[in-house]
C-alpha cells in the first residue's frame, strides 16, 4: 500500500488527503492547528457566526472523506528529508507546549500543502497596538468572535480585503474605509478584460459581488490607487494618513488626508510558506513558488505540492490542485478518468487566479518609509540600519542588523528587507530558506533521536 | 461553557474554545508584551509573527493567538529588550 503524508490541512491538503485515501493509499494528514481546515476554514464548531464562514458544505464533504485517514492535529513539522522513504519529523502536543512528543513519519509520497500567510508592507507606525494583518481580523472574527477596534481602516491590495471588511461589519464594527493600492484603471483592465473567464469561475465572481454588496449596504468608502502611508497614535492607533500612490506605488505628494480610526488591518497579498519544499530540495519558479508539473509533482521524486505554495489563487483552485496531487501521490496514472473533473476545475480557476496580478506589489512602496521605521518587528531593526549594511553580504547584513534573525525567522519582514536592500544596492538577499521549519525548544531538539539513515542516503555518503 | 484565565492577577472569562489572545482582547487588553520598548499584542493572528507570545503556566514563548485557553491558565506578560 502506498504511504502518503500530507503536510497542511487547509483546502489543498484536505482535498489531497481525501483523494489519495479514496484511491487506496494509506494517508497521514499532519497539521499544526488544533482543528483541520487551515486559514480558510478556521471557524469554531459552536460559536462562529455561520455567515462568516464560506463553503461549509464543501468542508463537511471533505471531513467525511477523511474516515480512513490518520489525522495528526497539533503537529508541527520541523524537518523533512528527501530519499526513499521520504521522512517527515513532527512534534505533537499543545501549541508551544514544553512536553511535545517527537514522531518521524516515513512515506512513499508526500503532498506539500503548507499554504501562505499575509504579506504586510511596513508603514511608519505599524507597530502601534491596534494594527494587525488583514488575516488576523479574519482569524479573530472566525475563531474568537471578536474585532479589535470599533472603527477600522482596511488597507493593502487585492480582493481579500473585501471579506475582511465584511467580517468586521458582520460583527458590528465600523469600517472607516477600504484602501486599495491598485488603481481604478488597473482594476478595470485586470478584472474587466476577457469577462467570460470570470463567468466560468462564476462562484468566485459571485462571492466578490456579495462582498461589494456588503460594502455598499454599509456605505463603506472604497479608495483604489491609494495607500495608508502613516499610522498615528500615542500608545495606540488614533488615525492614519491615506495618500494617492502612482502606478509604481510611490506616494503622490500633496494628496495626504487623515482618517480617524482605532484599528488598522493591513494586507498586501500573500507569501507562500516554502521552507518545507526548499528543505526537500524542490525547484522554485522565477517568482518563487514551488514548480510543479501537470500532476502537481515537484522536481523531487515523490514530493507533490498544491495550493498557495504553487501560486496564490485562493481556496477553490487549491481544492482542485489538492485533489490532483492526492491522486498522483497515490499512484493513479495520468489519463485516468478521476483526473478529469479537477483538471477542468484547475484550468478554469487559474484564469481567475491570474487576475490577482492586478494587485501585485510595486517597488515604489519603500517611498512611504522613514529612516526610523521599524522593518523587522522581532528585532526592532529600522530602515536606516538595514540601509547602512545594504552593500554587505546577505549573511553580513543579517548578522550586523539582526533583521530576520528574531523568533519569526524573517517570515514577517524578509521580503520587505529584500525590497529595501535590492532598491539600494541591487543585491539579491533571500530569506526563504530556514533549516528548522517551525519553533522547536532546545530540550525537544536535544531529546530527538534520528532513526537509521535511508539506505540510499548511506550509499551516497 | 466558559473558561476563566488569570492575566497579571486579573481574572478574565472567555468562551470554551477561544484563544488566550481572544480572551485578552475581549477583556480589554490590546497588548501583553514589550519589545524594543514598545507594546505588542496580536499582529498576524495566525501563528507566524511571534509578536503575541506570553508565558502560560510558567512556560515561556507561547503564541497567544494559537493556544486555546484552558480553565485556570495563568498568563504572564513577556519583555524582550
Amino acid at each position: 500500500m502506498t504511504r502518503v503524508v500530507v503536510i497542511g490541512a487547509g483546502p489543498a491538503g484536505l482535498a489531497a488527503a481525501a483523494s489519495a485515501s479514496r484511491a487506496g493509499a494509506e494517508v497521514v494528514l499532519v497539521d499544526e492547528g488544533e482543528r483541520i481546515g487551515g486559514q480558510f476554514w478556521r471557524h469554531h464548531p459552536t460559536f462562529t457566526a455561520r455567515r462568516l464562514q464560506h463553503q461549509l458544505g464543501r468542508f463537511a464533504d471533505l471531513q467525511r472523506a477523511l474516515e480512513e485517514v490518520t489525522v495528526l492535529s497539533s503537529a508541527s513539522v520541523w524537518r523533512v528529508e528527501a530519499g526513499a522513504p521520504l521522512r517527515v519529523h513532527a512534534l505533537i502536543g499543545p501549541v508551544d507546549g514544553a512536553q511535545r512528543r517527537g514522531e518521524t513519519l516515513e512515506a512513499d509520497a508526500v503532498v506539500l500543502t503548507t499554504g501562505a500567510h499575509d504579506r504586510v508592507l511596513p508603514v511608519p507606525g505599524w507597530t502601534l497596538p491596534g494594527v494587525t494583518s488583514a488575516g488576523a481580523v479574519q482569524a479573530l472574527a472566525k475563531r474568537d468572535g471578536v474585532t479589535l477596534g470599533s472603527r477600522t481602516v482596511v488597507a493593502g491590495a487585492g480582493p481579500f480585503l473585501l471579506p475582511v471588511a465584511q467580517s468586521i461589519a458582520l460583527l458590528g464594527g465600523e469600517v472607516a474605509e477600504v484602501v486599495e493600492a491598485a488603481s481604478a484603471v488597473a482594476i478595470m483592465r485586470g478584472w474587466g478584460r476577457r469577462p467570460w473567464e470570470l463567468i466560468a469561475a462564476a462562484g468566485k465572481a459571485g462571492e466578490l459581488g456579495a462582498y461589494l454588496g456588503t460594502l455598499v449596504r454599509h456605505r463603506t468608502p472604497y479608495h483604489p490607487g491609494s495607500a495608508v502611508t502613516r499610522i498615528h497614535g500615542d500608545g495606540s492607533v488614533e488615525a492614519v494618513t491615506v495618500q494617492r500612490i502612482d502606478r509604481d506605488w510611490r506616494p503622490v505628494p500633496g494628496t495626504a488626508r487623515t482618517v480617524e480610526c482605532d484599528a488598522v488591518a493591513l494586507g498586501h497579498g500573500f507569501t507562500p510558506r516554502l521552507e518545507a519544499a526548499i528543505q526537500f530540495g524542490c525547484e522554485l519558479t522565477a517568482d518563487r513558488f514551488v514548480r510543479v508539473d501537470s500532476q502537481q509533482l515537484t522536481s523531487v521524486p515523490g514530493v507533490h505540492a498544491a495550493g498557495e505554495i504553487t501560486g496564490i489563487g485562493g481556496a477553490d483552485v487549491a481544492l482542485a490542485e489538492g485533489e490532483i496531487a492526492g491522486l498522483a501521490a497515490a499512484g493513479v496514472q495520468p489519463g485516468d478518468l478521476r483526473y478529469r473533473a479537477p483538471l477542468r476545475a484547475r484550468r478554469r480557476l487559474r484564469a481567475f487566479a491570474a487576475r490577482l496580478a492586478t494587485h501585485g506589489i510595486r517597488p515604489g512602496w519603500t517611498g512611504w518609509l522613514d529612516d526610523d521605521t521599524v522593518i523587522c518587528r522581532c528585532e526592532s531593526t529600522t530602515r536606516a540600519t538595514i540601509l547602512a549594511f545594504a552593500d554587505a553580504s546577505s549573511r553580513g547584513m543579517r548578522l550586523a542588523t539582526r533583521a530576520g534573525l528574531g523568533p519569526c525567522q524573517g517570515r514577517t519582514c524578509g521580503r520587505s528587507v529584500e525590497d529595501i536592500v535590492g532598491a539600494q544596492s541591487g543585491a539579491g538577499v533571500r530569506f526563504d530558506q530556514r533549516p528548522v521549519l517551525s519553533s522547536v525548544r532546545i530540550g525537544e531538539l536535544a531529546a530527538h533521536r534520528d532513526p537509521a539513515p535511508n539506505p540510499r542516503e548511506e550509499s551516497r555518503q | 461553557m466558559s473558561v476563566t484565565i488569570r492575566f497579571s492577577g486579573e481574572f478574565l472569562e472567555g468562551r470554551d474554545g477561544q484563544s488566550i489572545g481572544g480572551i485578552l482582547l475581549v477583556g480589554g487588553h490590546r497588548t501583553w508584551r514589550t519589545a524594543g520598548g514598545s507594546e505588542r499584542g496580536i499582529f498576524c493572528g495566525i501563528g507566524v509573527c511571534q509578536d503575541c507570545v506570553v508565558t502560560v503556566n510558567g512556560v515561556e514563548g507561547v503564541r497567544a493567538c494559537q493556544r486555546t485557553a484552558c480553565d485556570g491558565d495563568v498568563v504572564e506578560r513577556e519583555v524582550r529588550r
Side-chain angles (χ1 to χ4, degrees):
Chain A
M1 207 183 207
T2 310
R3 298 167 300 172
V4 176
V5 171
V6 180
I7 304 179
L14 292 174
S19 72
S21 173
R22 271 197 302 262
E26 183 187 326
V27 182
V28 181
L29 174 59
V30 190
D31 189 78
E32 195 174 23
E34 291 174 356
R35 295 190 294 273
I36 57 171
Q39 306 309 334
F40 186 69
W41 283 305
R42 58 179 317 140
H43 56 288
H44 188 275
T46 57
F47 68 67
T48 304
R50 285 187 72 83
R51 334 174 265 178
L52 279 177
Q53 188 56 67
H54 307 283
Q55 301 193 36
L56 276 179
R58 193 90 192 251
F59 182 65
D61 290 345
L62 285 166
Q63 265 182 315
R64 275 192 292 278
L66 299 182
E67 244 165 46
E68 305 284 316
V69 172
T70 305
V71 179
L72 293 180
S73 293
S74 299
S76 298
V77 172
W78 62 279
R79 185 172 154 222
V80 293
E81 293 173 80
L86 299 155
R87 286 205 175 113
V88 175
H89 303 271
L91 284 159
I92 305 165
V95 180
D96 299 327
Q99 266 127 21
R100 296 183 297 175
R101 122 187 104 83
E103 192 162 320
T104 298
L105 306 166
E106 298 195 332
D108 306 304
V110 165
V111 184
L112 295 170
T113 48
T114 46
H117 58 77
D118 288 79
R119 168 115 188 246
V120 178
L121 297 178
V123 184
W126 74 316
T127 55
L128 280 170
V131 182
T132 66
S133 76
V137 169
Q138 287 295 62
L140 286 168
K142 288 183 188 175
R143 180 193 166 142
D144 292 297
V146 298
T147 55
L148 200 69
S150 57
R151 184 174 152 87
T152 306
V153 170
V154 177
F160 180 61
L161 299 178
L162 303 177
V164 169
Q166 189 192 41
S167 292
I168 294 168
L170 287 177
L171 285 176
E174 182 192 354
V175 179
E177 52 187 79
V178 177
V179 183
E180 161 67 55
S183 69
V185 172
I187 291 171
M188 285 309 288
R189 241 186 241 141
W191 295 93
R193 88 192 127 86
R194 292 199 298 278
W196 58 89
E197 286 182 354
L198 292 181
I199 292 163
K204 213 62 201 158
E207 212 176 287
L208 286 177
Y211 297 142
L212 288 170
T214 306
L215 289 187
V216 171
R217 265 198 310 285
H218 288 88
R219 298 197 167 78
T220 306
Y222 181 79
H223 294 284
S226 306
V228 165
T229 54
R230 186 173 296 274
I231 302 169
H232 311 269
D234 181 15
S236 75
V237 175
E238 291 164 17
V240 297
T241 297
V242 176
Q243 234 173 317
R244 304 276 312 169
I245 54 174
D246 68 15
R247 56 188 300 181
D248 273 332
W249 292 24
R250 260 184 298 268
V252 177
T255 62
R257 58 192 174 82
T258 305
V259 180
E260 285 184 14
C261 59
D262 61 356
V264 184
L266 298 173
H268 300 87
F270 296 91
T271 305
R273 306 180 78 162
L274 297 171
E275 42 276 87
I278 290 173
Q279 194 159 85
F280 265 130
C282 300
E283 204 179 293
L284 303 185
T285 60
D287 51 357
R288 291 155 85 193
F289 291 98
V290 180
R291 185 185 297 287
V292 288
D293 69 7
S294 61
Q295 308 287 112
Q296 304 290 139
L297 180 65
T298 71
S299 61
V300 176
V303 180
H304 301 255
E308 308 294 58
I309 58 167
T310 64
I312 302 302
D316 296 286
V317 71
L319 285 164
E321 291 171 353
E323 188 174 346
I324 294 164
L327 291 171
V332 176
Q333 291 306 303
D336 189 285
L337 279 177
R338 283 171 281 181
Y339 284 109
R340 202 190 258 178
L343 279 173
R344 199 184 303 130
R346 185 178 68 182
R347 197 166 46 240
R348 176 166 51 86
L349 292 161
R350 275 188 180 168
F352 174 87
R355 309 292 180 111
L356 294 173
T358 304
H359 306 270
I361 293 171
R362 305 288 305 155
W365 74 266
T366 56
W368 66 59
L369 298 174
D370 290 336
D371 276 349
D372 64 354
T373 306
V374 166
I375 307 298
C376 169
R377 297 175 64 95
C378 294
E379 298 292 322
S380 303
T381 309
T382 62
R383 171 175 180 256
T385 307
I386 292 166
L387 284 180
F389 293 91
D391 294 318
S393 68
S394 168
R395 185 184 154 81
M397 187 276 293
R398 278 179 246 208
L399 288 175
T401 68
R402 291 208 51 80
L405 298 186
C408 95
Q409 290 287 285
R411 288 178 174 90
T412 312
C413 73
R415 297 210 166 179
S416 298
V417 175
E418 290 171 11
D419 285 357
I420 291 164
V421 169
Q424 172 85 358
S425 70
V429 183
R430 286 286 181 268
F431 276 84
D432 291 333
Q433 207 160 339
R434 294 182 186 95
V436 181
L437 306 177
S438 57
S439 308
V440 178
R441 290 181 192 278
I442 287 289
E444 291 169 329
L445 210 52
H448 178 72
R449 294 284 171 271
D450 254 351
N454 280 327
R456 194 186 286 176
E457 292 287 321
E458 210 163 30
S459 62
R460 217 189 287 149
Q461 282 162 0
Chain B
M1 279 282 283
S2 72
V3 294
T4 303
I5 65 171
R6 219 166 103 188
F7 173 64
S8 301
E10 181 189 352
F11 289 95
L12 299 172
E13 203 173 299
R15 285 187 283 193
D16 190 23
Q18 273 183 317
S19 67
I20 286 178
I23 293 179
L24 290 174
L25 285 173
V26 172
H29 299 275
R30 269 198 164 185
T31 64
W32 43 85
R33 183 170 161 267
T34 309
S38 68
E39 285 297 285
R40 303 285 177 87
I42 293 272
F43 178 67
C44 83
I46 62 169
V48 172
C49 78
Q50 310 274 338
D51 240 9
C52 69
V53 295
V54 284
T55 298
V56 180
N57 304 328
V59 177
E60 287 177 20
V62 176
R63 289 165 290 172
C65 73
Q66 296 296 292
R67 167 72 145 71
T68 298
C70 301
D71 202 38
D73 275 345
V74 177
V75 179
E76 292 160 272
R77 299 177 57 95
E78 289 193 11
V79 177
R80 184 183 172 90
R81 278 205 317 114

